[in-house]
Amino acid sequence: MKNKHALRLTASILLMAGVLWFFWSQVRRHWDQLEHLHLHFFWPAMLLALVLVLIHYVIATLAWRTVIVGKSGQPLTITQSIGLSNISQLTKYVPGKVWSYAIQMHLLAAHGISKSRVLSVNVIMLLSLTGSSTVIGTGYLWFSGMILPRPLSALIFSAALTAYLLLVFGGTWTANLLVRLINRLFRQRIDTFDAPLATMIRAHGLNLLSNLLYGISGYFVAIGIGMPSDFALIVPISAAMLLSDTVGFFVFLAPGGIGVRESVMYAMLKSAVDIQTCFVLPLAFRLVTTINDLILGGTAAVLLNHFSKRSTRRSAADDLQL
């Protein structure tokens, strides 16, 4: 166990060292363009980006609630859903990625929702969000012909699109197939679940909409740090935001995908925007998303504390009546 922990720690250190070396080499290479860097912040655009990311999270929460409630019709209000789903924003930078699910399992047990259903739904919602992000991101890579050879990017895009369409229109059959696969590969005991196809398609549609808003928010962050307005850049910037976020999430060695997300974003934007924006945008976007994490996580903590106190008062009132 100690050897495994030491190996993981070593791999994390090497990864972060590689990321730092990559950015340092790029700074040295483009120093003549960066030494006279002057940022001109346009705060209305930054505020709009912040709001768009916030809406992204809220819409994703509605998608999560659509499936977590399911046919059972558990009494879970929108406000409760925001609290229960987004408390995980405070744990996303903690190594391990599983703390968010553990907290949800504990809290949702009081609402009569099984731990297995919580885990299953979260896995499917994660695949839904990352699936649409991957399709958009790899589609742009194929179209632009950058980073990867076109035949390879076309193959990756085709595989991502096929998998995503199967996830969306396969309903719970595809979802449960993935659950069984995860059980076999990782020796887990996650139960399958049932939900109407219309419910699943609606949830996937909400997740797609939330991702589109998330990608577009990156464009307004770029405007906010002084990039000239050019609507043609919405597509490359959105694709970079989405694909880099997905890659960063799945790199378990970097908490919150720190460094990895920024590296992918930089690589995708290097040929699309000026070098100053290319360097600053990943950092500015990280700042915007971190602020949203704190806002949503803090709001969720306040809401859950309020619900807990109300439940305690209700229980005390019931005891007095008895």
Side-chain angles (χ1 to χ4, degrees):
M1 191 70 178
K2 290 183 178 179
N3 291 336
K4 186 177 180 180
H5 177 72
L7 183 62
R8 181 187 178 91
L9 179 61
T10 303
S12 297
I13 292 173
L14 290 174
L15 175 64
M16 297 310 297
V19 169
L20 290 174
W21 175 85
F22 170 75
F23 275 109
W24 173 245
S25 66
Q26 292 299 309
V27 168
R28 290 183 61 187
R29 183 178 179 182
H30 300 285
W31 180 247
D32 58 326
Q33 297 169 274
L34 295 172
E35 61 179 335
H36 302 298
L37 175 65
H38 295 289
L39 295 179
H40 302 283
F41 289 101
F42 183 54
W43 294 110
M46 294 292 285
L47 180 60
L48 178 56
L50 194 74
V51 171
L52 286 175
V53 175
L54 185 64
I55 295 173
H56 151 78
Y57 282 127
V58 172
I59 294 176
T61 299
L62 295 178
W64 174 85
R65 178 181 180 273
T66 297
V67 183
I68 202 75
V69 170
K71 294 191 298 184
S72 61
Q74 297 289 345
L76 198 62
T77 66
I78 300 295
T79 307
Q80 287 174 323
S81 298
I82 291 174
L84 291 165
S85 176
N86 291 287
I87 190 64
S88 60
Q89 302 301 329
L90 296 179
T91 62
K92 67 190 298 183
Y93 294 97
V94 178
K97 307 288 187 183
V98 298
W99 297 105
S100 302
Y101 300 154
I103 291 174
Q104 284 187 13
M105 289 178 191
H106 174 72
L107 295 173
L108 285 165
H111 294 268
I113 299 175
S114 69
K115 294 180 179 179
S116 182
R117 185 175 183 88
V118 173
L119 185 56
S120 298
V121 170
N122 274 291
V123 168
I124 300 308
M125 292 298 97
L126 170 62
L127 291 173
S128 175
L129 286 166
T130 57
S132 59
S133 294
T134 303
V135 168
I136 294 170
T138 57
Y140 172 72
L141 291 182
W142 176 35
F143 177 80
S144 64
M146 58 184 297
I147 300 181
L148 300 174
R150 279 187 184 273
L152 179 58
S153 59
L155 180 63
I156 296 174
F157 169 71
S158 298
L161 179 61
T162 301
Y164 180 65
L165 292 177
L166 285 173
L167 179 68
V168 173
F169 296 104
T172 53
W173 180 86
T174 303
N176 289 332
L177 183 65
L178 291 169
V179 168
R180 294 188 186 98
L181 180 62
I182 290 172
N183 285 339
R184 176 168 295 186
L185 291 176
F186 299 100
R187 298 181 181 179
Q188 300 297 315
R189 304 177 70 177
I190 308 172
D191 292 338
T192 57
F193 70 101
D194 185 35
L197 178 59
T199 297
M200 298 300 295
I201 291 177
R202 183 163 62 252
H204 291 305
L206 287 170
N207 280 332
L208 176 59
L209 175 61
S210 72
N211 268 342
L212 291 174
L213 294 177
Y214 184 83
I216 292 171
S217 70
Y219 172 77
F220 287 103
V221 173
I223 298 298
I225 60 175
M227 186 189 78
S229 179
D230 182 357
F231 288 114
L233 293 175
I234 289 180
V235 173
I237 292 177
S238 296
M241 299 300 110
L242 292 170
L243 189 58
S244 63
D245 200 62
T246 297
V247 174
F249 180 86
F250 283 107
V251 178
F252 294 90
L253 298 174
I258 295 176
V260 176
R261 192 173 79 168
E262 286 73 19
S263 298
V264 175
M265 200 182 302
Y266 172 86
M268 291 183 66
L269 292 175
K270 189 165 60 172
S271 61
V273 300
D274 64 271
I275 198 65
Q276 294 186 5
T277 300
C278 196
F279 270 103
V280 178
L281 179 56
L283 301 177
F285 194 70
R286 169 69 72 174
L287 178 62
V288 168
T289 55
T290 300
I291 291 173
N292 266 285
D293 292 336
L294 294 175
I295 291 174
L296 274 172
T299 301
V302 171
L303 288 173
L304 292 177
N305 182 58
H306 170 71
F307 296 144
S308 176
K309 289 182 177 179
R310 189 171 64 181
S311 178
T312 302
R313 289 196 298 267
R314 187 178 301 163
S315 297
D318 291 340
D319 291 340
L320 288 174
Q321 290 178 357
L322 292 174

